[in-house]
Amino acid sequence: MTKNQKKLRCGITTGTCCTAAALASARLLFCVCGNKENGQEEAVNLRLPGGSQMQVPVFMSERTDDFAEYYVVKDSGDDPDVTNHAKIYAGVRILPDETEPQKDWFCDEERKGLYLTGEEGIGRVTREGLPEKTGQAAINPVPRKMIFGAVREVLKLADVSERVLITVRIPGGEELAERTFNRKLGIVGGLSVLGTTGILEPMSEKAIVDTIETEIRQRAAAGEKNLLLTPGNYGRGYVSEYLQLDMDSSVKCSNYIGETIDLAVSYGMERILLVGNIGKLVKLAAGIMNTHSKVADGRREIMALYTFLAGGSRELAEKIMSCINTEEMIPLLEKAGLREAVMEKLQEAIDSYVRHRGGSKVTIAVMLFSEHFGFLTQTKETAELLPYFTGRNERKDET
């Protein structure tokens, strides 16, 4: 695919790896469609959720009378995925008649007696709000459907009547998971089996938004109605150090402010407090809801416009346009005696745009600060909303 004018190679999701390994294992165990004389597979063809087909190399791990296991070496393409080159294992086991299904196993909805669970290196869910129940392995719905579907077809072809358990594992997954958001999402002990299309897109924006949605969904499931948002590390530091708000209740929305607001509304949040650096949030004053510089910049133009509207001269606006960042602009406004007036114009515009994006079901407040100059401005709802995030009963009249 082409992204930001560069050709990048796609990879395969963890769910695709598990499906390929499970398919090969089922075929080997039940002697169906082996590609070599000894029945072992070298590659399997998969139909992905989007309808396309893919051939995935597979490697045999173990074979007994009642168990077979293959693994796939994950290829993440040009995506900086923590599981790139990891070995993803999936085994298929015939269950003895006396075996009782465990309550944390997944059950196939279309074939009775077909089960799935996670073992070594697969995380376990400890919080409500995820697609899996508490205690179950972190194997997402689409990968579950892919894995069950692939094995189910083999069982049908081989006319198998026995009960079957599919197991997936990722050796070293617990260590790799420390480099992900899993612990924050309430997934402990390993990685998640993810994927919605089967294809891993390089530097996937969807993956980031999906993570944001998961965090919001978890808070909604816990009955929370207040959402504290910070775009990045600067915002989180300011929130914890200067505002002394609880960072455990915050969600890092990155550049996806508009989409995060949409998700918050859809999950029933009633109050949103967004705190961030002016270098990013100033873009909201022009209605820019994805603040990545490659989507839209305009910081100089926005600041120059509102400087002029606040009574600044053309000469000052031109100086603003020549600045390399917002930190350089603030001293110019201070020297001209226009800092407060410009910030007032900015907050009015920001307030208008976020209120329009959120609609009537949610109250949104925005606070802007500077790394060097501290607090700059806040929208008019901020004083009303702050007590909901500080735990105080009385309203806070000043920042």
Side-chain angles (χ1 to χ4, degrees), residues 17-30 59-64 66-72 88-95 114-120 122 139 147-148 151 155 164-170:
C17 294
C18 290
T19 303
L23 176 59
S25 298
R27 286 177 172 176
L28 180 63
L29 183 61
F30 299 110
F59 305 89
M60 192 180 76
S61 169
E62 184 180 351
R63 171 71 160 91
T64 66
D66 61 357
F67 179 73
E69 184 182 60
Y70 271 80
Y71 70 86
V72 171
I88 315 293
Y89 290 77
V92 175
R93 184 183 302 277
I94 299 174
L95 293 173
L114 180 57
Y115 307 101
L116 169 66
T117 190
E119 296 184 338
E120 174 192 12
I122 303 297
I139 306 173
I147 295 167
F148 274 137
V151 174
L155 300 182
V164 172
L165 173 64
I166 308 164
T167 57
V168 297
R169 63 188 182 95
I170 306 176

Side-chain angles (χ1 to χ4, degrees), residues 272-307:
I272 299 173
L273 176 61
L274 171 61
V275 184
N277 189 282
I278 186 174
K280 187 176 293 289
L281 296 191
V282 69
K283 299 178 185 181
L284 297 178
I288 298 171
M289 294 291 167
N290 184 329
T291 57
H292 198 292
S293 59
K294 292 179 179 178
V295 174
D297 193 350
R299 291 169 296 175
R300 295 179 300 176
E301 291 83 358
I302 295 167
M303 289 292 286
L305 170 63
Y306 286 107
T307 295

Side-chain angles (χ1 to χ4, degrees), residues 196-213:
T196 53
T197 64
I199 300 294
L200 181 61
E201 294 185 5
M203 295 170 284
S204 173
E205 295 179 0
K206 185 180 184 303
I208 300 174
V209 176
D210 286 347
T211 299
I212 296 170
E213 180 175 7

Side-chain angles (χ1 to χ4, degrees), residues 239-290:
V239 166
S240 60
E241 184 176 354
Y242 295 101
L243 298 180
Q244 297 182 341
L245 302 183
D246 182 12
M247 289 308 301
D248 290 338
S249 65
S250 70
V251 170
K252 187 176 178 179
C253 61
S254 186
N255 295 296
Y256 307 99
I257 294 171
E259 290 176 279
T260 302
I261 292 174
D262 295 341
L263 290 168
V265 173
S266 69
Y267 282 101
M269 293 295 165
E270 296 178 356
R271 304 168 194 89
I272 299 173
L273 176 61
L274 171 61
V275 184
N277 189 282
I278 186 174
K280 187 176 293 289
L281 296 191
V282 69
K283 299 178 185 181
L284 297 178
I288 298 171
M289 294 291 167
N290 184 329

